[in-house]
Amino acid sequence: MEEVASRYAQAIVSIAKDEGKLEEYKSAILEVQTFFEGEKEVFQYLKSYFVKDDEKNKVIDEITKPFGLVNFGNFLKLLISKHIIHMYKNIAKETCKNINFELNIYEGIIYSTEPLQNSKILEISRLISKKLGRQVELKNKIDSRLIGGVKVVVHDHIFDGSIKYKLETLKEQLKERRNS
């Protein structure tokens, strides 16, 4: 299943690259994913084997019209005709990963004990971007083991400002002092 998502993601990235619209396709892909998550009935309709593809294609035309990306609409129609629209989330994730690679953007995760506000995630993204010298996009994940603070993992870099890390560091320093 992952291989299928990867193949379709490569195809849409290739189209976006040929059109010189990588950022526009990424934005459209993410907006449609958000739409599908919020409008589960529409997504169920598009996945149904009992609805004709022509009817589904009309819905796709309405959904994709605001983006002005004809080939993006055609791509979604292809997913419908191949009966793999149910894989959209995986395809979207892989597509965004590939587009970020093409745009030289690092993806990372910011771990925290509770959900962070978007403004805080953007602030931390800017700081890390400045430190690494390239754009960074962070996604928030919850990790209750941190006790407090945040831990950011980007590519092969770890920025650990968690209380757990600070306590472990303090513990090691105390051990070293005892041994000396």
Side-chain angles (χ1 to χ4, degrees):
M1 191 120 86
E2 239 178 75
E3 186 180 318
V4 173
S6 181
R7 274 198 329 250
Y8 280 92
Q10 289 172 353
I12 195 66
V13 170
S14 178
I15 290 167
K17 199 172 172 183
D18 288 347
E19 291 180 15
K21 296 182 177 182
L22 286 165
E23 291 169 345
E24 291 89 339
Y25 272 80
K26 180 179 172 186
S27 177
I29 286 163
L30 291 172
E31 283 188 46
V32 168
Q33 181 176 342
T34 301
F35 175 79
F36 285 161
E37 289 170 355
E39 300 293 332
K40 295 186 187 318
E41 307 83 35
V42 174
F43 194 53
Q44 287 300 115
Y45 180 82
L46 294 173
K47 292 189 309 185
S48 175
Y49 283 92
F50 301 109
V51 179
K52 293 183 180 183
D53 285 358
D54 290 345
E55 295 300 316
K56 294 177 189 178
N57 289 343
K58 289 177 187 174
V59 173
I60 292 298
D61 287 339
E62 287 301 312
I63 292 170
T64 59
K65 189 187 310 180
F67 305 117
L69 301 169
V70 175
N71 285 323
F72 178 58
N74 292 338
F75 177 73
L76 293 176
K77 291 174 185 177
L78 177 67
L79 297 181
I80 287 170
S81 72
K82 298 287 186 184
H83 303 288
I84 58 170
I85 192 71
H86 67 279
M87 294 179 64
Y88 184 79
K89 187 174 183 176
N90 292 336
I91 294 168
K93 181 180 177 184
E94 191 68 25
T95 301
C96 288
K97 186 174 109 181
N98 291 347
I99 288 175
N100 282 345
F101 178 80
E102 291 292 332
L103 295 174
N104 206 19
I105 297 172
Y106 278 163
E107 294 178 346
I109 300 172
I110 181 168
Y111 295 97
S112 61
T113 56
E114 55 189 42
L116 297 175
Q117 293 181 342
N118 285 336
S119 60
K120 190 67 173 173
I121 295 170
L122 289 172
E123 178 186 336
I124 294 169
S125 291
R126 279 190 287 260
L127 289 169
I128 303 277
S129 295
K130 191 173 183 180
K131 190 156 186 84
L132 295 178
R134 72 186 324 161
Q135 187 177 345
V136 173
E137 290 182 357
L138 296 175
K139 291 191 173 143
N140 189 208
K141 289 199 177 178
I142 305 304
D143 185 350
S144 57
R145 296 174 296 166
L146 293 180
I147 304 170
V150 296
K151 176 180 174 181
V152 180
V153 179
V154 178
H155 197 51
D156 56 354
H157 301 278
I158 298 173
F159 305 91
D160 201 337
S162 67
I163 293 174
K164 179 182 176 186
Y165 175 74
K166 290 176 184 177
L167 288 172
E168 288 174 359
T169 304
L170 183 60
K171 184 178 169 182
E172 289 300 317
Q173 289 173 350
L174 290 172
K175 280 184 183 177
E176 287 176 17
R177 286 186 186 162
R178 263 193 212 146
N179 293 337
S180 31

